[in-house]
Coordinates of all heavy atoms in Angstrom, one line a residue:
M25 N 0.8 -1.2 0.0 CA -0.1 0.0 0.0 C 0.9 1.3 0.0 O 1.9 1.3 0.8 CB -0.9 0.0 1.3 CG -2.0 1.2 1.1 SD -3.1 1.3 2.6 CE -3.6 -0.4 2.6
C26 N 0.5 2.3 -0.8 CA 1.3 3.4 -0.9 C 0.8 4.4 0.1 O -0.4 4.7 0.3 CB 1.1 4.0 -2.3 SG 1.9 5.5 -2.6
S27 N 1.8 5.0 0.8 CA 1.4 6.2 1.8 C 1.6 7.5 1.4 O 1.0 8.3 1.8 CB 2.2 5.9 3.0 OG 3.6 6.0 2.8
S28 N 2.5 7.8 0.3 CA 2.7 9.1 -0.1 C 3.1 9.2 -1.5 O 4.4 9.3 -1.8 CB 3.6 9.8 0.7 OG 4.9 9.0 0.8
P29 N 2.3 9.1 -2.5 CA 2.7 9.2 -4.0 C 3.1 10.6 -4.3 O 2.5 11.6 -3.9 CB 1.4 8.9 -4.7 CG 0.3 9.2 -3.8 CD 0.8 9.0 -2.3
Q30 N 4.1 10.7 -5.1 CA 4.7 11.9 -5.7 C 4.8 11.8 -7.2 O 5.4 10.9 -7.7 CB 6.0 12.2 -5.0 CG 5.9 12.4 -3.4 CD 5.3 13.6 -3.0 OE1 5.4 14.6 -3.6 NE2 4.5 13.4 -1.9
A31 N 4.3 12.9 -7.9 CA 4.3 12.9 -9.3 C 5.5 13.7 -9.7 O 5.7 14.8 -9.3 CB 3.0 13.3 -9.9
Y32 N 6.3 13.4 -10.7 CA 7.3 14.1 -11.2 C 7.1 14.2 -12.9 O 6.4 13.4 -13.4 CB 8.6 13.4 -11.0 CG 8.9 13.3 -9.5 CD1 8.7 12.1 -8.8 CD2 9.4 14.4 -8.8 CE1 8.9 12.0 -7.4 CE2 9.7 14.4 -7.4 CZ 9.5 13.1 -6.8 OH 9.8 13.1 -5.5
F33 N 8.0 15.1 -13.4 CA 7.8 15.3 -14.9 C 8.0 13.9 -15.7 O 7.4 13.7 -16.6 CB 8.7 16.3 -15.3 CG 8.7 16.7 -16.7 CD1 7.6 17.1 -17.3 CD2 9.8 16.3 -17.6 CE1 7.6 17.4 -18.8 CE2 9.7 16.4 -19.0 CZ 8.7 17.1 -19.5
R34 N 8.8 13.2 -15.3 CA 9.3 12.0 -15.9 C 8.8 10.7 -15.3 O 9.4 9.7 -15.3 CB 10.7 11.9 -16.2 CG 11.2 12.9 -17.1 CD 12.8 12.8 -17.4 NE 13.1 13.9 -18.2 CZ 13.7 13.7 -19.4 NH1 13.9 12.5 -19.8 NH2 14.0 14.8 -20.1
G35 N 7.7 10.7 -14.4 CA 7.1 9.4 -13.8 C 6.7 9.8 -12.6 O 6.3 10.9 -12.2
L36 N 6.7 8.8 -11.7 CA 6.2 9.1 -10.2 C 7.0 8.3 -9.4 O 7.7 7.2 -9.7 CB 4.7 8.7 -10.1 CG 4.3 7.3 -10.4 CD1 4.2 6.5 -9.1 CD2 2.9 7.2 -11.1
E37 N 7.1 8.6 -8.1 CA 7.6 7.9 -7.0 C 6.5 7.7 -5.9 O 5.9 8.6 -5.6 CB 8.8 8.7 -6.5 CG 9.6 8.1 -5.5 CD 10.8 8.8 -5.0 OE1 11.8 8.8 -5.8 OE2 10.7 9.6 -4.1
A38 N 6.6 6.4 -5.4 CA 5.5 6.1 -4.2 C 6.4 5.6 -3.0 O 7.3 4.7 -3.3 CB 4.6 5.2 -4.7
Q39 N 6.1 6.0 -1.9 CA 6.6 5.3 -0.7 C 5.7 4.5 -0.1 O 4.6 4.9 0.2 CB 7.1 6.5 0.4 CG 7.8 5.9 1.6 CD 8.1 6.9 2.5 OE1 8.0 8.1 2.4 NE2 8.9 6.5 3.6
L40 N 6.1 3.3 0.1 CA 5.1 2.2 0.5 C 5.1 2.3 2.1 O 6.0 2.9 2.7 CB 5.7 0.8 0.1 CG 5.9 0.5 -1.3 CD1 6.4 -0.8 -1.6 CD2 4.5 0.8 -2.1
V41 N 4.2 1.7 2.6 CA 3.8 1.8 4.1 C 5.1 1.2 4.9 O 5.5 1.8 5.9 CB 2.7 0.9 4.5 CG1 2.5 0.9 6.0 CG2 1.4 1.6 3.8
N42 N 5.8 0.2 4.2 CA 7.0 -0.3 4.9 C 8.2 0.6 4.7 O 9.4 0.1 5.2 CB 7.3 -1.7 4.4 CG 7.8 -1.8 2.9 OD1 7.9 -0.8 2.3 ND2 8.0 -3.0 2.6
G43 N 8.2 1.7 4.2 CA 9.3 2.7 4.1 C 9.9 2.6 2.6 O 10.7 3.5 2.3
E44 N 9.8 1.5 1.9 CA 10.5 1.3 0.7 C 9.8 2.2 -0.3 O 8.7 2.6 -0.3 CB 10.1 -0.1 0.1 CG 10.7 -0.5 -1.2 CD 10.4 -1.8 -1.6 OE1 9.7 -2.5 -1.0 OE2 10.8 -2.1 -2.7
T45 N 10.7 2.7 -1.3 CA 10.3 3.7 -2.2 C 10.4 3.1 -3.7 O 11.5 2.4 -3.9 CB 11.2 5.0 -2.2 OG1 11.0 5.6 -0.9 CG2 10.7 6.0 -3.3
I46 N 9.4 3.1 -4.5 CA 9.5 2.6 -5.9 C 9.2 3.6 -6.8 O 8.5 4.6 -6.5 CB 8.4 1.4 -6.0 CG1 7.0 1.9 -5.6 CG2 8.8 0.3 -5.0 CD1 5.9 0.8 -5.9
Q47 N 9.7 3.5 -8.1 CA 9.5 4.4 -9.1 C 8.7 3.8 -10.3 O 8.8 2.6 -10.4 CB 10.7 5.1 -9.6 CG 11.5 5.9 -8.5 CD 12.8 6.4 -8.9 OE1 13.4 6.0 -9.9 NE2 13.4 7.3 -8.1
G48 N 7.9 4.5 -11.0 CA 7.2 4.1 -12.2 C 6.9 5.2 -13.1 O 7.0 6.3 -12.8
D49 N 6.3 4.7 -14.2 CA 5.9 5.6 -15.3 C 4.5 6.1 -15.1 O 4.2 7.1 -15.4 CB 6.2 5.0 -16.6 CG 7.6 4.8 -17.0 OD1 8.5 5.6 -16.5 OD2 7.9 3.7 -17.6
I50 N 3.7 5.1 -14.6 CA 2.3 5.5 -14.5 C 1.7 4.8 -13.1 O 2.4 3.7 -12.7 CB 1.4 5.0 -15.6 CG1 1.5 3.5 -15.9 CG2 1.8 5.7 -16.9 CD1 0.4 2.9 -16.8
A51 N 0.6 5.2 -12.6 CA -0.1 4.4 -11.6 C -1.5 4.3 -12.1 O -2.1 5.2 -12.8 CB -0.1 5.3 -10.3
L52 N -1.9 3.2 -11.7 CA -3.3 2.7 -12.2 C -4.1 2.3 -11.0 O -3.7 1.5 -10.2 CB -3.3 1.7 -13.3 CG -4.7 1.1 -13.7 CD1 -5.5 2.2 -14.4 CD2 -4.5 -0.1 -14.6
A53 N -5.3 2.8 -10.7 CA -6.1 2.4 -9.6 C -7.6 2.3 -10.0 O -8.0 3.1 -10.8 CB -6.0 3.4 -8.5
A54 N -8.3 1.3 -9.5 CA -9.6 1.1 -9.7 C -10.4 1.2 -8.5 O -10.2 0.4 -7.6 CB -9.9 -0.2 -10.5
L55 N -11.2 2.1 -8.4 CA -12.0 2.3 -7.1 C -13.5 2.3 -7.4 O -14.0 2.8 -8.5 CB -11.6 3.6 -6.4 CG -10.2 3.9 -6.1 CD1 -9.9 5.2 -5.5 CD2 -9.8 2.7 -5.0
G56 N -14.3 1.8 -6.4 CA -15.7 1.8 -6.7 C -16.2 0.6 -7.5 O -17.3 0.8 -8.1
L57 N -15.4 -0.4 -7.6 CA -15.9 -1.6 -8.3 C -17.1 -2.2 -7.6 O -17.2 -2.2 -6.4 CB -14.8 -2.5 -8.4 CG -13.6 -2.2 -9.2 CD1 -12.6 -3.3 -9.0 CD2 -13.8 -1.9 -10.6
K58 N -18.1 -2.8 -8.4 CA -19.2 -3.4 -7.7 C -19.3 -4.7 -8.6 O -19.3 -4.8 -9.8 CB -20.4 -2.5 -7.8 CG -21.6 -3.3 -7.2 CD -22.8 -2.5 -7.2 CE -24.0 -3.2 -6.5 NZ -25.3 -2.6 -6.8
A59 N -19.3 -5.8 -7.7 CA -19.4 -7.1 -8.4 C -20.8 -7.3 -9.2 O -21.9 -6.9 -8.5 CB -19.3 -8.3 -7.4
N60 N -20.8 -7.9 -10.4 CA -22.1 -8.1 -11.0 C -22.5 -9.5 -10.5 O -21.9 -10.6 -11.1 CB -21.9 -8.1 -12.5 CG -23.2 -8.3 -13.2 OD1 -24.2 -8.7 -12.7 ND2 -23.1 -8.2 -14.5
I61 N -23.5 -9.6 -9.7 CA -23.8 -11.0 -9.1 C -25.2 -11.4 -9.7 O -25.8 -12.4 -9.1 CB -23.9 -10.8 -7.7 CG1 -24.9 -9.7 -7.2 CG2 -22.5 -10.6 -7.0 CD1 -25.2 -9.6 -5.7
R62 N -25.6 -10.8 -10.8 CA -26.8 -11.2 -11.3 C -26.9 -12.6 -11.7 O -27.9 -13.4 -11.4 CB -27.2 -10.3 -12.5 CG -28.6 -10.4 -13.0 CD -29.0 -9.3 -14.2 NE -28.4 -8.2 -13.8 CZ -27.9 -7.3 -14.7 NH1 -27.6 -7.7 -16.0 NH2 -27.4 -6.1 -14.3
L63 N -26.0 -13.3 -12.4 CA -25.9 -14.7 -12.8 C -25.8 -15.4 -11.6 O -26.7 -16.5 -11.6 CB -24.7 -14.9 -13.7 CG -24.6 -16.3 -14.2 CD1 -25.8 -16.7 -14.9 CD2 -23.4 -16.5 -15.0
A64 N -25.2 -15.2 -10.5 CA -25.2 -15.9 -9.4 C -26.6 -16.1 -8.7 O -27.1 -17.1 -8.2 CB -24.2 -15.5 -8.4
E65 N -27.1 -14.9 -8.7 CA -28.5 -14.8 -8.0 C -29.6 -15.7 -8.9 O -30.4 -16.4 -8.2 CB -29.0 -13.3 -8.0 CG -28.3 -12.4 -7.0 CD -28.8 -11.0 -7.2 OE1 -28.9 -10.5 -8.3 OE2 -29.1 -10.4 -6.0
T66 N -29.4 -15.5 -10.2 CA -30.3 -16.3 -11.1 C -30.1 -17.8 -10.8 O -31.1 -18.6 -10.9 CB -30.1 -15.9 -12.5 OG1 -30.3 -14.5 -12.6 CG2 -31.0 -16.7 -13.5
A67 N -28.9 -18.2 -10.6 CA -28.6 -19.6 -10.3 C -28.9 -20.1 -8.9 O -28.8 -21.3 -8.6 CB -27.0 -19.7 -10.6
G68 N -29.4 -19.1 -8.1 CA -29.8 -19.5 -6.7 C -28.6 -19.6 -5.8 O -28.8 -20.2 -4.7
L69 N -27.6 -19.0 -6.1 CA -26.3 -19.0 -5.2 C -26.7 -17.9 -4.1 O -27.3 -17.0 -4.4 CB -25.2 -18.7 -5.9 CG -24.7 -19.7 -6.9 CD1 -23.4 -19.2 -7.6 CD2 -24.6 -21.1 -6.3
A70 N -26.0 -18.1 -2.9 CA -26.0 -17.1 -1.8 C -25.2 -16.0 -2.2 O -24.1 -16.1 -2.6 CB -25.6 -17.8 -0.5
V71 N -25.7 -14.7 -2.0 CA -25.2 -13.6 -2.4 C -25.3 -12.5 -1.4 O -26.3 -12.6 -0.7 CB -25.5 -13.0 -3.8 CG1 -25.1 -13.9 -5.0 CG2 -26.8 -12.7 -3.8
E72 N -24.3 -11.6 -1.1 CA -24.5 -10.3 -0.4 C -23.9 -9.3 -1.3 O -24.8 -9.1 -2.3 CB -23.6 -10.5 0.9 CG -24.1 -11.5 1.9 CD -25.4 -11.3 2.5 OE1 -25.7 -10.2 2.8 OE2 -26.1 -12.2 2.8
R73 N -22.9 -8.7 -1.0 CA -22.4 -7.7 -1.9 C -21.6 -8.3 -3.0 O -21.5 -7.8 -4.2 CB -21.4 -6.7 -1.3 CG -22.1 -5.9 -0.1 CD -21.1 -4.9 0.6 NE -20.1 -5.7 1.4 CZ -19.0 -5.4 1.8 NH1 -18.5 -4.3 1.6 NH2 -18.2 -6.2 2.4
G74 N -21.3 -9.6 -2.8 CA -20.6 -10.5 -3.9 C -21.2 -11.9 -3.7 O -22.0 -12.1 -2.8
I75 N -20.5 -12.8 -4.4 CA -21.0 -14.2 -4.2 C -20.4 -14.7 -2.9 O -19.2 -14.7 -2.8 CB -20.5 -15.1 -5.5 CG1 -21.1 -14.5 -6.8 CG2 -20.9 -16.5 -5.3 CD1 -20.5 -15.0 -7.9
S76 N -21.3 -15.1 -2.0 CA -20.7 -15.7 -0.8 C -20.0 -17.0 -1.1 O -20.6 -18.0 -1.7 CB -21.9 -15.9 0.2 OG -22.6 -14.7 0.4
V77 N -18.8 -17.2 -0.5 CA -18.0 -18.3 -0.6 C -17.4 -18.7 0.7 O -17.2 -17.8 1.5 CB -16.9 -18.2 -1.7 CG1 -17.5 -18.0 -3.1 CG2 -16.0 -17.1 -1.3
S78 N -17.0 -19.9 0.8 CA -16.3 -20.3 2.1 C -14.7 -19.9 1.9 O -14.3 -19.5 0.9 CB -16.3 -21.9 2.2 OG -15.6 -22.5 1.0
R79 N -14.0 -20.2 2.8 CA -12.5 -20.1 2.7 C -11.9 -20.9 1.7 O -10.7 -20.7 1.3 CB -11.8 -20.2 4.1 CG -12.2 -19.2 5.1 CD -11.6 -19.3 6.5 NE -12.0 -18.2 7.4 CZ -11.2 -17.3 7.7 NH1 -10.2 -17.2 7.2 NH2 -11.7 -16.4 8.6
H80 N -12.5 -21.8 1.3 CA -12.1 -22.7 0.1 C -12.6 -22.3 -1.2 O -12.6 -22.9 -2.3 CB -12.4 -24.2 0.2 CG -11.7 -24.6 1.6 ND1 -10.4 -24.8 1.8 CD2 -12.3 -25.0 2.8 CE1 -10.1 -25.2 3.0 NE2 -11.3 -25.4 3.6
L81 N -13.4 -21.1 -1.3 CA -14.0 -20.6 -2.4 C -15.1 -21.2 -3.0 O -15.6 -21.0 -4.1 CB -12.9 -20.2 -3.5 CG -11.6 -19.4 -3.1 CD1 -10.8 -19.3 -4.2 CD2 -12.1 -18.0 -2.6
Q82 N -15.8 -22.1 -2.1 CA -16.9 -22.9 -2.6 C -18.1 -22.0 -2.3 O -18.3 -21.4 -1.1 CB -16.9 -24.1 -1.8 CG -18.0 -25.1 -2.3 CD -17.9 -26.4 -1.5 OE1 -17.6 -26.5 -0.3 NE2 -18.1 -27.6 -2.2
T83 N -19.1 -22.0 -3.3 CA -20.3 -21.3 -3.0 C -21.3 -22.1 -2.1 O -21.0 -23.1 -1.8 CB -20.9 -20.9 -4.4 OG1 -21.4 -22.1 -5.1 CG2 -19.9 -20.1 -5.3
S84 N -22.6 -21.6 -2.1 CA -23.6 -22.4 -1.5 C -24.1 -23.6 -2.2 O -24.6 -24.6 -1.8 CB -24.8 -21.4 -1.4 OG -25.4 -20.9 -2.5
N85 N -23.5 -23.7 -3.6 CA -23.7 -24.9 -4.3 C -22.3 -25.7 -4.3 O -21.3 -25.1 -4.8 CB -24.1 -24.7 -5.7 CG -24.3 -25.9 -6.6 OD1 -23.4 -26.8 -6.6 ND2 -25.4 -25.9 -7.4
K86 N -22.2 -26.8 -3.7 CA -21.1 -27.4 -3.5 C -20.2 -27.8 -4.8 O -19.0 -28.0 -4.7 CB -21.1 -28.9 -2.7 CG -21.9 -29.8 -3.3 CD -22.0 -31.1 -2.4 CE -22.7 -32.2 -3.1 NZ -22.7 -33.4 -2.2
Y87 N -20.8 -27.7 -5.9 CA -20.1 -27.8 -7.1 C -19.7 -26.6 -7.8 O -19.1 -26.7 -9.0 CB -21.1 -28.8 -8.1 CG -21.5 -30.1 -7.6 CD1 -22.8 -30.1 -7.1 CD2 -20.6 -31.1 -7.5 CE1 -23.2 -31.5 -6.6 CE2 -20.9 -32.3 -6.9 CZ -22.3 -32.5 -6.3 OH -22.6 -33.7 -5.9
I88 N -19.9 -25.5 -7.2 CA -19.5 -24.2 -8.0 C -18.6 -23.4 -7.0 O -18.9 -23.3 -5.7 CB -20.9 -23.3 -8.3 CG1 -21.8 -24.1 -9.1 CG2 -20.4 -22.0 -8.9 CD1 -23.2 -23.5 -9.4
F89 N -17.5 -22.9 -7.6 CA -16.6 -22.1 -6.9 C -16.5 -20.7 -7.6 O -16.7 -20.7 -8.7 CB -15.3 -22.8 -6.9 CG -15.2 -24.1 -6.1 CD1 -15.7 -25.3 -6.7 CD2 -14.6 -24.2 -4.9 CE1 -15.6 -26.5 -6.0 CE2 -14.6 -25.4 -4.2 CZ -15.2 -26.4 -4.7
A90 N -16.1 -19.8 -6.7 CA -16.1 -18.4 -7.4 C -14.8 -17.7 -6.7 O -14.5 -18.0 -5.5 CB -17.3 -17.6 -6.9
L91 N -14.2 -16.9 -7.4 CA -13.0 -16.1 -6.8 C -12.9 -14.8 -7.6 O -13.6 -14.5 -8.6 CB -11.7 -17.0 -7.1 CG -11.4 -17.3 -8.5 CD1 -9.8 -16.8 -8.5 CD2 -11.3 -18.7 -8.8
G92 N -12.0 -13.9 -7.1 CA -11.8 -12.7 -7.8 C -12.7 -11.7 -7.3 O -13.3 -11.6 -6.3
D93 N -13.0 -10.6 -8.2 CA -13.8 -9.5 -7.9 C -15.2 -9.7 -7.4 O -15.9 -9.1 -6.7 CB -14.0 -8.6 -9.1 CG -12.6 -7.9 -9.5 OD1 -11.7 -8.1 -8.7 OD2 -12.5 -7.3 -10.6
C94 N -15.7 -10.9 -7.7 CA -17.1 -11.2 -7.5 C -17.3 -12.0 -6.2 O -18.4 -12.1 -5.7 CB -17.8 -12.1 -8.6 SG -17.1 -13.8 -8.8
A95 N -16.2 -12.5 -5.6 CA -16.3 -13.4 -4.4 C -16.3 -12.5 -3.2 O -15.7 -11.4 -3.0 CB -15.1 -14.2 -4.3
E96 N -17.0 -13.1 -2.1 CA -17.1 -12.5 -0.7 C -16.8 -13.6 0.2 O -17.6 -14.6 0.4 CB -18.4 -11.9 -0.5 CG -18.5 -11.1 0.7 CD -19.9 -10.5 0.9 OE1 -20.5 -10.0 -0.1 OE2 -20.3 -10.4 2.1
V97 N -15.7 -13.6 1.0 CA -15.3 -14.6 2.0 C -15.7 -14.0 3.3 O -15.0 -12.9 3.8 CB -13.8 -15.0 1.9 CG1 -13.5 -16.1 2.8 CG2 -13.6 -15.5 0.5
D98 N -16.4 -14.6 4.1 CA -16.7 -14.2 5.6 C -17.1 -12.6 5.5 O -16.6 -12.1 6.5 CB -15.5 -14.4 6.4 CG -15.2 -15.9 6.6 OD1 -16.2 -16.7 6.6 OD2 -14.1 -16.2 6.9
G99 N -17.9 -12.3 4.6 CA -18.3 -11.0 4.6 C -17.3 -9.9 4.0 O -17.6 -8.7 4.0
H100 N -16.2 -10.4 3.6 CA -15.2 -9.4 3.0 C -15.0 -9.7 1.5 O -14.7 -10.8 1.1 CB -13.8 -9.6 3.7 CG -13.9 -9.4 5.2 ND1 -13.9 -8.1 5.7 CD2 -13.9 -10.1 6.1 CE1 -14.1 -8.2 7.0 NE2 -14.0 -9.4 7.4
Q101 N -15.2 -8.7 0.7 CA -14.9 -9.0 -0.7 C -13.4 -8.9 -1.0 O -12.7 -8.1 -0.4 CB -15.7 -7.7 -1.6 CG -17.1 -8.0 -1.6 CD -17.8 -6.9 -2.4 OE1 -18.0 -5.9 -1.9 NE2 -18.3 -7.2 -3.5
L102 N -13.0 -9.8 -1.9 CA -11.6 -9.9 -2.1 C -10.9 -8.9 -2.7 O -9.7 -8.6 -2.7 CB -11.5 -11.3 -2.9 CG -12.0 -12.6 -2.2 CD1 -11.7 -13.8 -3.2 CD2 -11.4 -12.8 -0.9
F103 N -11.7 -8.1 -3.6 CA -11.1 -6.9 -4.3 C -11.0 -5.6 -3.6 O -10.4 -4.7 -4.1 CB -11.7 -6.7 -5.6 CG -13.1 -6.3 -5.5 CD1 -13.3 -4.9 -5.6 CD2 -14.2 -7.1 -5.4 CE1 -14.7 -4.3 -5.4 CE2 -15.5 -6.5 -5.4 CZ -15.6 -5.3 -5.4
L104 N -11.6 -5.5 -2.5 CA -11.6 -4.1 -1.8 C -10.3 -4.0 -1.1 O -9.8 -4.8 -0.3 CB -12.7 -4.1 -0.7 CG -14.0 -4.1 -1.3 CD1 -15.1 -4.0 -0.2 CD2 -14.3 -3.0 -2.1
W105 N -9.6 -2.8 -1.4 CA -8.5 -2.4 -0.7 C -8.9 -1.1 0.1 O -9.4 -0.2 -0.2 CB -7.5 -1.9 -1.8 CG -7.0 -3.0 -2.7 CD1 -7.7 -3.4 -3.8 CD2 -5.9 -3.9 -2.5 NE1 -7.0 -4.6 -4.3 CE2 -5.9 -4.9 -3.5 CE3 -4.9 -3.9 -1.5 CZ2 -4.9 -5.8 -3.6 CZ3 -3.9 -4.9 -1.7 CH2 -3.9 -5.8 -2.7
H106 N -8.4 -1.3 1.4 CA -8.8 -0.2 2.4 C -7.7 0.8 2.4 O -6.5 0.4 2.5 CB -8.9 -0.8 3.8 CG -10.0 -1.9 3.9 ND1 -11.3 -1.4 4.0 CD2 -10.0 -3.1 3.9 CE1 -12.1 -2.5 4.0 NE2 -11.2 -3.5 4.0
L107 N -8.2 2.1 2.0 CA -7.2 3.1 1.9 C -7.0 3.8 3.3 O -8.1 4.0 4.1 CB -7.8 4.1 0.9 CG -7.9 3.6 -0.5 CD1 -8.6 4.7 -1.4 CD2 -6.6 3.2 -1.1
S108 N -5.7 4.2 3.7 CA -5.6 4.8 5.0 C -4.9 6.1 4.8 O -4.5 6.6 3.4 CB -4.5 4.0 5.7 OG -3.4 3.8 5.1

């Protein structure tokens, strides 16, 4: 996680929370993502903000697994990054 990004004419520099500094040409961030759970709902899977899965990524149907942006484990969506 980046604690203090700095933009420069020829790129950017970011200081990570652990104190390490990294340099790059661009920074890309995606915020406000919302899982499209319509198909899972139609299939009768348990959903909340995402598709509800166990710690083994198994849905409420023992033959279906989900992971990535659409999955929610113990009430936590896997793609959400908490900004400080």
Side-chain angles (χ1 to χ4, degrees):
M25 185 180 309
C26 176
S27 63
S28 59
Q30 300 292 322
Y32 297 100
F33 179 70
R34 294 182 183 237
L36 61 94
E37 184 176 274
Q39 183 174 6
L40 304 180
V41 174
N42 68 2
E44 180 184 357
T45 300
I46 58 173
Q47 296 178 344
D49 296 324
I50 63 169
L52 178 65
L55 303 173
L57 297 175
K58 182 178 180 196
N60 183 346
I61 57 175
R62 191 173 317 138
L63 178 62
E65 289 175 311
T66 302
L69 300 179
V71 297
E72 294 293 330
R73 293 178 299 162
I75 301 169
S76 299
V77 297
S78 70
R79 290 179 181 258
H80 300 287
L81 304 177
Q82 188 175 38
T83 68
S84 56
N85 180 317
K86 67 180 183 177
Y87 299 108
I88 300 175
F89 293 78
L91 67 128
D93 294 353
C94 66
E96 181 177 329
V97 180
D98 294 332
H100 301 284
Q101 287 180 285
L102 301 179
F103 68 88
L104 292 181
W105 296 85
H106 299 283
L107 302 176
S108 56

